[in-house]
Amino acid sequence: MTERYDCHYCKESLFGKKYVLREENPYCVKCYESLYSNTCEECKKPIGCNSRDLSYKDRHWHEDCFHCFQCKRSLVDKPFSTKDEQLLCTECYSNEYSSKCHECKKTIMPGSRKMEHKGNSWHETCFTCKRCQQPIGTKSFIPKDNHNYCVPCYEKQFAMQCVHCKKPITTGGVTYHDQPWHKDCFLCTGCKQQLSGQRFTSRDDFAYCLNCFCNLYAKKCASCTTPISGLGGSKYISFEERQWHNDCFNCKKCSVSLVGRGFLTERDDILCPECGKDM
């Protein structure tokens, strides 16, 4: 007798019939498809032994069911994307969900390089300087009036020029006599120290720090011989072409302050009335 060769599940004879081996056990086609075939995501029918089973992330489709959700074109052997578990060809996905170029208004295709700034996107070739039309790429740029400029073009077209060095002022700067200066160029005429951030004064349109101005131009106190700046509301006493700091205007003998009081003079000295009695 010939040995029987039956379906492992239904036990019907497989002689003269198609069958499928699974884990070395034979199954008739009907039992195999019922037990093991995947269900198509699109039509919800089993994917039979004679059909091509296409899978993506544990989901399965018949070959004829594997198409774009929007345009229905086949996605077999083609690139595709997914959105909300729906399959989309790259064209439909781009039209529906990809960024639009701020310059040309066309879709920026997935995988292509794009430039972004403050919520807007550009094709790399569309992200150009308004003035020279050259691609900006990853170089520094300055936005102005809804346009972008490379730094050299911005400086040529918009930046103020320092009155001292004639170069553009791109950040900060100082205004003196209605003229722009770099902070590094705005220096004391005397000592060449930076004046930005400190008190200064001028003479004949030249700027000086207080020390240089006092040393060069301020009158000297008749008592201590140091300069009297007269700046910032500081007070001083003047008498017969001589000047004193308020704190220095004291009696030569008893050192009492003579500010607001009568006084006498003896040669280069000043005296209070009491000390002047013996003159």
Side-chain angles (χ1 to χ4, degrees):
M1 282 182 68
T2 305
E3 183 180 356
R4 291 181 61 83
Y5 195 65
D6 301 334
C7 171
H8 184 69
Y9 186 74
C10 70
K11 306 304 181 184
E12 288 190 12
S13 174
L14 296 176
F15 280 110
K17 299 180 182 179
K18 290 180 66 175
Y19 64 92
V20 181
L21 283 175
R22 181 182 173 90
E23 296 176 356
E24 298 185 359
N25 295 315
Y27 292 84
C28 66
V29 171
K30 183 178 179 180
C31 287
Y32 180 85
E33 290 182 349
S34 173
L35 292 171
Y36 301 115
S37 288
N38 295 307
T39 301
C40 176
E41 287 283 331
E42 180 70 15
C43 68
K44 308 305 180 186
K45 295 179 181 179
I47 302 173
C49 299
N50 295 324
S51 301
R52 186 179 176 187
D53 186 338
L54 301 178
S55 64
Y56 174 72
K57 289 188 175 180
D58 295 327
R59 300 162 67 202
H60 299 265
W61 291 263
H62 290 106
E63 187 172 7
D64 292 340
C65 295
F66 194 65
H67 54 69
C68 174
F69 178 74
Q70 294 274 26
C71 68
K72 307 305 180 185
R73 285 184 291 186
S74 174
L75 296 176
V76 178
D77 298 326
K78 294 179 181 177
F80 64 91
S81 299
T82 60
K83 182 71 175 179
D84 300 329
E85 297 190 350
Q86 300 293 345
L87 303 176
L88 295 166
C89 65
T90 54
E91 184 176 346
C92 288
Y93 182 89
S94 298
N95 291 336
E96 192 75 22
Y97 302 109
S98 291
S99 303
K100 299 294 189 294
C101 176
H102 188 68
E103 180 66 23
C104 70
K105 311 306 179 187
K106 294 180 181 178
T107 300
I108 301 174
M109 298 298 288
S112 62
R113 190 173 181 185
K114 68 177 179 179
M115 315 304 292
E116 295 181 313
H117 176 64
K118 290 190 174 180
N120 292 321
S121 301
W122 289 262
H123 292 108
E124 185 177 19
T125 54
C126 292
F127 191 60
T128 58
C129 170
K130 174 68 175 175
R131 189 171 188 267
C132 67
Q133 297 300 309
Q134 294 301 306
I136 293 173
T138 57
K139 294 182 292 187
S140 297
F141 68 95
I142 301 172
K144 183 176 176 62
D145 300 332
N146 294 322
H147 297 296
N148 299 312
Y149 295 84
C150 64
V151 173
C153 284
Y154 181 88
E155 291 178 350
K156 290 175 184 176
Q157 188 160 339
F158 300 110
M160 292 185 295
Q161 286 192 337
C162 174
V163 70
H164 177 72
C165 70
K166 311 303 180 187
K167 294 180 180 179
I169 301 172
T170 55
T171 58
V174 176
T175 300
Y176 174 65
H177 283 186
D178 295 324
Q179 293 179 317
W181 301 66
H182 288 113
K183 289 182 179 180
D184 293 341
C185 294
F186 189 57
L187 309 176
C188 171
T189 305
C191 65
K192 306 304 179 185
Q193 295 296 310
Q194 274 195 39
L195 295 177
S196 176
Q198 64 171 300
R199 293 174 62 198
F200 66 92
T201 187
S202 65
R203 185 181 178 94
D204 300 327
D205 289 336
F206 293 103
Y208 294 87
C209 67
L210 298 190
N211 283 340
C212 286
F213 180 83
C214 290
N215 290 332
L216 291 170
Y217 302 112
K219 295 177 180 179
K220 303 298 189 292
C221 175
S223 176
C224 70
T225 69
T226 60
I228 301 172
S229 70
L231 299 172
S234 60
K235 296 180 180 180
Y236 64 96
I237 307 297
S238 180
F239 176 71
E240 291 184 351
E241 298 184 357
R242 289 191 293 165
Q243 288 79 30
W244 293 262
H245 295 106
N246 265 22
D247 293 340
C248 295
F249 194 59
N250 303 321
C251 175
K252 180 67 175 178
K253 290 186 177 181
C254 70
S255 298
V256 68
S257 174
L258 299 177
V259 177
R261 299 176 58 184
F263 61 90
L264 302 171
T265 61
E266 182 181 15
R267 298 184 182 86
D268 293 335
D269 299 329
I270 52 172
L271 304 169
C272 65
E274 289 297 318
C275 293
K277 288 180 180 179
D278 300 330
M279 286 175 55

